[in-house]
Amino acid sequence: MADLRIDIHDLQLKNPVMLASGTCGYAEEINEFFDVSELGGIFLKGLTLHNRDGNLYPRMAETPSGMLNAVGLQNKGIDYFINNIYPRIKHYNTPLIINVNGSTVEDYIELTEKVNELDKIPAIELNISCPNVKEGGMAFGITCPGAEAVTREVRRVYDKTLIVKLSPNVTDVSEIAKAVEGQGADSVSLVNTFVGMAIDAEKRKPLLSTITGGLSGPAIKPIALRMVWQVAKAVKIPVVAMGGIMNATDAVEFILAGATAVQVGTALFKNPLIPLQIIEGLNGYLDRHRMDSVKELVGSLQV
Amino acid sequence: MGNKTVSDFIVTENIKLNDTNYLLRLKAPDPLPIIRPGQFVNIEVKNTSEIFLRRPFSVFEMDYDKNILSVIIKILGRGSKKLTEVIAGDTISLIYPLGRHFTYPGKGERILAVGGGSGLAPMLFLAKESGLPAENVDLLIGARSASDHIDVNAYSQYGSLNFTSEDGTLGTKGFVTHHPLFTDNLKNYDKVYACGPEGMMKAVAREARKAGVNCEVSLENLMACGFGVCLCCIEPTVKGNLCVCTEGPVFNINELKWQI
């Protein structure tokens, strides 16, 4: 049994296997299958200040080795979360992280101030990379000045662990990562989905109501892996990796490339038990390679 | 911790019902929970890189003694086609139980259960489970042509069997709503249930609303997860966008925003 404990800034994780925002609801849905306290942490479904209905149906298209989604941050708003969901989930014995979204910098600040009051939320994931909303979202995450501005303002009002979720839809993701590190981010998580598209050739129509959507799943893994590797070399803060992780070997690859922890996302749709299989497989890998701690594995790629 | 499970089932039978419908009987590794008409399972399609997501199917039959769950697979695309190619002895992964079931009729009520295409399975299951005497249950099954119908004679013990076909080769010619059960005496029912293509369900809902009869439909929106986390299968309702997989698939037509 290797030691799987690892830290992301002040966040102490019992293992590096976490769930990605937007793929695990508010943790209760996954707790229907197994005790979520076994996980390293859970990034809850993205929240906004106010209720959002999200985009019109259809919001999903299956693609080779993956899928496109265009959910558009459907959620009932932070106040509903605090009053109705938070009391039901705060006892889970694993870090619950709120994914924070906004259309304007002011939205991000107001939302973060509310989240800062929640004792059982030890970190936020600042989402500047959602590709499926018309205003805000990815618009902040695709330029250095935009990413810097949101990170700087949110940092001012938030004193717990601040993780910034980066978009892969940029020329050089490591530049954005350095920019947010410079404004006080404690960690970066990447990658959010890639903007993609699918067409029904017979009907001559797009498959998504929004025409374009975010691509996820194993189809994006090699690109995500390259980006995590680039960012891990460029910044000193811990990197949380995601992008098509389906099994323990995938997770090991991201950790070798420099990730401190990983998020399992789209894989949950295929099988919600995959995170448990990854924790077990990671343990087995470390034992086979005679490592006492997962910390030895981080960034240990031999090039 | 909750009550949903992911397990490998063993295929015990794969029976071809007609050109596009297959009956799969699947043996569970552990005792099955109670699953009611309208609830569904999400089935993994193995050994193909094109098919990434599972495919949802309404449960058709439950045999708690043998620990066997059955589904009817109608070929609609590549995923369902692949599933019809399994053979006895194969393992197949299911997520279950999913969704909410139809509201059971009250004692002595009269019901009409309308099934079309892939929506037939839960209607037959409902007729069997309704707890009503057969004379209180009318089953109406619609298809394009006689060759698209499957043999449901075994269900005559649970209700009267009625058919429509678009080409008139079996039962009344036309759509289900052209059948005398609709045109003559819809008001006689306490509940109308429907599952099938959206156009069919909307037509049924329109007639039921006109007649003032309580009506539930089971939606088939595209879904990725089946357990309420992806938010892809949403349906606009009077309570906002709801997940068909967790808040449905069964809805009362009064909850929906259908323009009917």
Side-chain angles (χ1 to χ4, degrees):
Chain A
M1 275 297 272
D3 184 355
L4 293 181
R5 288 174 301 171
I6 200 155
D7 298 344
I8 301 170
H9 188 63
D10 286 341
L11 265 189
Q12 297 173 339
L13 311 182
K14 64 186 75 157
N15 64 63
V17 180
M18 308 170 89
L19 305 187
S21 182
T23 65
C24 57
Y26 294 104
E28 295 173 294
E29 297 87 341
I30 302 297
N31 204 58
E32 289 273 325
F33 292 94
F34 65 87
D35 180 0
V36 294
S37 300
E38 294 184 45
L39 296 164
I42 302 172
F43 290 78
L44 305 175
K45 169 68 187 165
L47 286 165
T48 48
L49 261 185
H50 305 293
N51 177 71
R52 279 184 63 93
D53 289 336
N55 293 320
L56 294 176
Y57 181 87
R59 295 175 169 184
M60 189 272 286
E62 189 178 36
T63 58
S65 298
M67 61 177 279
L68 289 158
N69 90 81
V71 172
L73 287 174
Q74 179 179 327
N75 78 99
K76 291 189 169 167
I78 184 65
D79 292 338
Y80 181 91
F81 171 81
I82 292 172
N83 295 324
N84 298 283
I85 302 172
Y86 180 62
R88 297 199 304 257
I89 64 173
K90 63 181 184 184
H91 68 280
Y92 291 153
N93 182 25
T94 189
L96 301 175
I97 298 151
I98 288 186
N99 180 278
V100 168
N101 295 270
S103 304
T104 63
V105 174
E106 291 71 29
D107 285 355
Y108 280 102
I109 294 169
E110 199 179 335
L111 178 50
T112 303
E113 284 173 333
K114 288 184 184 231
V115 175
N116 204 19
E117 302 297 311
L118 304 175
D119 291 342
K120 299 287 183 184
I121 304 292
I124 60 169
E125 181 176 52
L126 187 63
N127 189 357
I128 55 169
S129 47
C130 177
N132 293 322
V133 292
K134 283 199 186 102
E135 290 172 339
M138 196 174 83
F140 288 109
I142 54 172
T143 68
C144 287
E148 281 171 348
V150 188
T151 308
R152 179 173 58 241
E153 297 306 317
V154 166
R155 179 76 283 177
R156 278 187 194 160
V157 298
Y158 194 67
D159 46 28
K160 295 182 244 181
T161 300
L162 170 59
I163 303 165
V164 181
K165 186 168 186 176
L166 305 180
S167 172
N169 301 295
V170 295
T171 309
D172 185 353
V173 69
S174 61
E175 288 300 315
I176 310 278
K178 281 192 282 188
V180 302
E181 180 183 38
Q183 297 303 323
D186 299 315
S187 168
V188 287
S189 57
L190 69 155
V191 297
N192 205 322
T193 55
F194 288 80
V195 178
M197 186 168 167
I199 290 175
D200 182 329
E202 291 304 316
K203 292 183 181 155
R204 295 201 251 166
K205 287 192 163 166
L207 283 168
L208 298 174
S209 69
T210 48
I211 305 178
T212 64
L215 181 65
S216 64
I220 70 169
K221 198 198 91 179
I223 319 178
L225 194 57
R226 180 265 294 177
M227 290 184 161
V228 166
W229 177 67
Q230 286 177 320
V231 167
K233 284 193 300 179
V235 297
K236 295 187 179 66
I237 52 178
V239 175
V240 181
M242 81 212 77
I245 295 173
M246 297 296 290
N247 53 49
T249 307
D250 292 340
V252 166
E253 290 173 22
F254 277 99
I255 298 171
L256 282 169
T260 298
V262 297
Q263 293 180 19
V264 181
T266 302
L268 297 169
F269 304 162
K270 210 168 163 66
N271 185 347
L273 304 183
I274 283 177
L276 297 184
Q277 296 163 5
I278 293 179
I279 295 169
E280 198 187 328
L282 183 57
N283 217 335
Y285 177 91
L286 294 170
D287 285 350
R288 267 192 298 121
H289 289 264
R290 302 191 191 291
M291 291 187 202
D292 296 326
S293 164
V294 70
K295 290 173 189 157
E296 295 170 45
L297 192 62
V298 176
S300 67
L301 183 71
Q302 296 172 7
V303 288
Chain B
M1 286 235 283
N3 52 16
K4 289 180 185 149
T5 310
V6 188
S7 292
D8 283 336
F9 283 53
I10 294 169
V11 178
T12 59
E13 281 181 282
N14 177 1
I15 303 163
K16 185 174 179 176
L17 302 174
N18 62 18
D19 281 350
T20 58
N21 285 283
Y22 291 72
L23 169 64
L24 299 190
R25 295 196 195 282
L26 309 166
K27 190 170 175 59
D30 300 304
L32 284 164
I34 301 291
I35 296 182
R36 300 190 191 283
Q39 290 189 284
F40 66 99
V41 295
N42 215 0
I43 306 183
E44 185 176 27
V45 185
K46 278 204 289 198
N47 305 324
T48 159
S49 62
E50 292 166 81
I51 311 297
F52 181 67
L53 299 167
R54 289 172 184 257
R55 295 292 185 266
F57 293 93
S58 282
V59 172
F60 170 53
E61 282 177 344
M62 295 293 293
D63 184 336
Y64 298 104
D65 294 333
K66 292 186 181 152
N67 218 25
I68 286 177
L69 176 157
S70 304
V71 292
I72 293 177
I73 311 279
K74 182 176 171 64
I75 298 177
L76 291 173
R78 290 173 308 181
S80 45
K81 172 83 169 49
K82 193 87 186 165
L83 282 174
T84 63
E85 293 163 7
V86 296
I87 55 170
D90 285 353
T91 59
I92 190 165
S93 169
L94 268 67
I95 302 181
Y96 65 99
L98 299 172
R100 295 186 176 178
H101 57 81
F102 286 100
T103 308
Y104 278 45
K107 218 175 172 185
E109 288 192 329
R110 285 185 54 79
I111 65 167
L112 172 63
V114 187
S118 55
L120 179 61
M123 293 293 98
L124 295 173
F125 190 18
L126 178 67
K128 192 175 177 181
E129 291 264 302
S130 68
L132 296 173
E135 60 265 28
N136 288 29
V137 178
D138 286 335
L139 273 160
L140 175 57
I141 301 158
R144 264 190 294 268
S145 180
S147 61
D148 297 320
H149 277 283
I150 62 175
D151 180 6
V152 293
N153 286 329
Y155 281 81
S156 59
Q157 58 178 309
Y158 306 114
S160 80
L161 299 173
N162 305 272
F163 303 93
T164 63
S165 56
E166 289 171 38
D167 62 2
T169 50
L170 183 71
T172 303
K173 183 174 179 177
F175 298 124
V176 288
T177 45
H178 297 137
H179 193 277
L181 292 175
F182 269 90
T183 51
D184 297 352
N185 60 353
L186 200 59
K187 281 190 170 66
N188 294 346
Y189 297 107
D190 297 291
K191 289 192 174 74
V192 173
Y193 303 92
C195 187
E198 189 176 301
M200 183 208 90
M201 288 194 291
K202 282 186 172 168
V204 170
R206 192 179 302 123
E207 296 305 319
R209 177 164 291 172
K210 225 189 286 175
V213 182
N214 191 307
C215 179
E216 288 183 346
V217 293
S218 177
L219 305 188
E220 299 186 323
N221 295 10
L222 280 176
M223 52 184 72
C225 69
F227 48 88
V229 298
C230 75
L231 308 188
C232 291
C233 64
I234 51 103
E235 176 72 20
T237 74
V238 292
K239 291 183 241 166
N241 284 339
L242 295 182
C243 284
V244 166
C245 65
T246 50
E247 305 292 327
V250 175
F251 290 93
N252 190 292
I253 58 167
N254 294 329
E255 295 174 90
L256 302 174
K257 290 193 159 178
W258 282 358
Q259 304 294 318
I260 50 172

